[in-house]
Amino acid sequence: MNDHGLSATAKVILGLLGSRPRSGYEIKAAVDRSTRYFWAASYGQIYPELRRLAEAGLIEGTDAPTGGRRRTVYELTNAGRHALGEWHREPPERFDYRDEAMLKLFFATAVEPAGAAGIARQRAEMAAETAEELRAVEAESPGSDQPGYAVLRFGIDFNEFVADWFERQALAFEEGVPLRKLPRPEAAEIEGER
Amino acid sequence: MNDHGLSATAKVILGLLGSRPRSGYEIKAAVDRSTRYFWAASYGQIYPELRRLAEAGLIEGTDAPTGGRRRTVYELTNAGRHALGEWHREPPERFDYRDEAMLKLFFATAVEPAGAAGIARQRAEMAAETAEELRAVEAESPGSDQPGYAVLRFGIDFNEFVADWFERQALAFEEGVPLRKLPRPEAAEIEGER
DNA sequence: TTCGCCATGTAATGTGTTACATGATTGT
DNA sequence: ACAATCATGTAACACATTACATGGCGAA
């Protein structure tokens, strides 16, 4: 819970229920199909959160079994729709970025300078693959110029940027640029020492 | 803990101790000054992890009080240096990206289409500010063409890319592009429905 | 009848931040 | 005397994944 009282998972649930009612299973499927790249959620978060949101009166569940298979479909209440609107109007605050390749690169001078190019190259390949995946998704999705589609475009553009950046870095490392002058290893720390 | 037995925080601790011995406090300061943008760590992670790493024999602590102020400085053992090298040679695997502005944009069609441009614009400004911050850091740090420095360059280039991308998106939204055709809201989902 | 999917859920574990408590040193 | 910084640490809470358990349905 934070300021506005919505957990990370509550935000994506409310947002998805904003377009139509869904079961927990469908929410998870929708997340995996769409927001996963920038806002993930697992069953361990979704089901308990659905219960909490229902208790808080922001969503309402209805039994909708398919045959003998039990199933609960949730939809926004008025309060829920209001909370979603409130959240949407607030300035966005959360932004996390965590990248292990970057950490390895950062320590490369002290650990294994010769490995830097390889690390950069691998990261470039990873990003290129993700971009490829997303381009495939784009190809099979109906063209659209809406914000939801823009988000997919960002995924593609961003991964292409990353692939390009790391590829150029790898080349620079290979050409010996990084190994010419080697001051104290800790000079690599962003503000230097003191 | 994961495959190689190193937690996220262990990796940054070992990496920092790779260049020289430090106290927990100094490790936290170094993280905040450098890796924070792509690999954060808090006291609540650092101190318990130092204890675990010492028990595991990867680092060794020495009392080094300054006056009456108690202080423990840690350094890598041979086993620790070996573990750091092992980790460094493995292919990088972790990469997380979480962006609340993106989530809002994704839901904009269903919640408040008119807000999309504002969300994009704010995100652009945020990225521009971060880029500015990093450029200031770059200006006051000794020029270097090492991997550690490349990481700082990435921060700048990446944030400039993001600022530019969202600014162009905001412009596109303002020019009415996104509101021309409005199919079912859920058409915005990345693979469409089913 | 077996496999894959639909569907719900929990337990265990891991990851991570915030806020607080304690206390010394240095500079104003 | 006070504030800032050095220094260590924990408790409470929040967030998140993985793996498992349960069971029905539909198709091969």
Side-chain angles (χ1 to χ4, degrees):
Chain A
M1 290 287 193
N2 52 31
D3 300 357
H4 34 264
L6 293 182
S7 71
T9 306
K11 288 166 190 172
V12 73
I13 290 176
L14 257 27
L16 286 170
L17 296 184
S19 57
R20 63 176 165 76
R22 299 169 200 250
S23 68
Y25 187 85
E26 287 170 322
I27 287 169
K28 168 66 169 152
V31 164
D32 285 347
R33 200 191 310 131
S34 57
T35 69
R36 162 172 55 118
Y37 297 96
F38 55 91
W39 206 271
S42 60
Y43 286 128
Q45 295 280 109
I46 292 169
Y47 283 111
E49 188 63 42
L50 282 170
R51 192 176 287 266
R52 280 191 291 271
L53 288 171
E55 272 163 25
L58 300 185
I59 64 176
E60 200 175 27
T62 313
D63 281 354
T66 40
R69 191 198 277 155
R70 96 181 141 124
R71 184 161 166 273
T72 309
V73 169
Y74 294 89
E75 60 187 315
L76 292 183
T77 60
N78 284 335
R81 198 164 290 280
H82 185 253
L84 174 59
E86 285 289 293
W87 164 70
H88 201 262
R89 270 184 293 280
E90 280 165 19
E93 72 284 337
R94 186 162 171 188
F95 172 65
D96 290 351
Y97 182 80
R98 199 146 185 145
D99 193 334
E100 191 161 0
M102 208 76 107
L103 191 68
K104 285 182 179 174
L105 224 43
F106 186 70
F107 294 135
T109 305
V111 179
E112 182 59 75
I119 291 164
R121 177 99 55 211
Q122 268 177 29
R123 184 69 182 82
E125 274 160 26
M126 221 178 84
E129 272 165 38
T130 306
E132 192 51 54
E133 250 182 67
L134 292 174
R135 249 182 269 111
V137 167
E138 187 193 25
E140 72 189 44
S141 77
S144 159
D145 44 16
Q146 294 175 69
Y149 173 73
V151 159
L152 173 56
R153 269 316 315 172
F154 180 84
I156 296 169
D157 294 344
F158 166 68
N159 279 284
E160 282 174 352
F161 165 82
V162 171
D164 185 60
W165 195 92
F166 278 95
E167 181 56 33
R168 278 187 288 108
Q169 252 330 300
L171 250 27
F173 290 147
E174 279 163 2
E175 278 162 23
V177 180
L179 299 180
R180 270 209 306 269
K181 38 178 192 172
L182 276 177
R184 304 171 5 271
E186 61 269 32
E189 270 173 42
I190 284 184
E191 283 185 75
E193 296 301 301
R194 200 68 350 119
Chain B
M1 289 287 191
N2 52 29
D3 299 356
H4 34 265
L6 293 183
S7 72
T9 305
K11 288 166 190 173
V12 72
I13 290 176
L14 256 28
L16 285 171
L17 295 185
S19 58
R20 63 176 164 73
R22 300 167 200 250
S23 67
Y25 186 85
E26 287 170 322
I27 287 168
K28 167 68 169 150
V31 165
D32 286 348
R33 201 191 311 130
S34 58
T35 69
R36 160 172 58 118
Y37 297 96
F38 55 91
W39 206 272
S42 60
Y43 286 128
Q45 295 280 110
I46 292 168
Y47 283 111
E49 189 64 41
L50 283 170
R51 191 175 289 266
R52 280 191 290 269
L53 288 171
E55 273 163 26
L58 301 185
I59 63 176
E60 199 175 26
T62 313
D63 282 354
T66 40
R69 191 199 276 156
R70 96 181 143 124
R71 186 161 166 272
T72 309
V73 168
Y74 294 89
E75 59 187 315
L76 293 183
T77 60
N78 284 335
R81 197 163 292 278
H82 185 253
L84 174 59
E86 284 290 292
W87 164 70
H88 201 261
R89 271 184 294 279
E90 280 165 18
E93 72 284 334
R94 186 162 171 188
F95 171 64
D96 291 352
Y97 181 80
R98 199 148 187 144
D99 192 335
E100 191 160 0
M102 208 75 107
L103 192 68
K104 286 183 177 172
L105 223 44
F106 186 70
F107 293 136
T109 305
V111 179
E112 181 60 74
I119 290 164
R121 177 98 55 213
Q122 268 176 28
R123 185 69 183 80
E125 276 161 24
M126 223 179 83
E129 273 165 38
T130 305
E132 191 52 54
E133 249 182 69
L134 292 175
R135 249 182 268 110
V137 167
E138 188 193 24
E140 71 189 47
S141 77
S144 158
D145 46 12
Q146 292 177 71
Y149 174 74
V151 159
L152 172 56
R153 268 318 312 174
F154 180 85
I156 296 169
D157 293 344
F158 166 68
N159 278 284
E160 282 174 353
F161 165 81
V162 171
D164 185 60
W165 194 93
F166 278 96
E167 180 56 35
R168 279 186 290 110
Q169 243 344 288
L171 250 29
F173 289 148
E174 280 162 2
E175 277 162 25
V177 179
L179 299 180
R180 272 209 307 268
K181 40 177 191 172
L182 274 179
R184 298 159 26 258
E186 63 269 32
E189 269 173 44
I190 284 183
E191 282 187 78
E193 294 301 303
R194 199 73 348 122

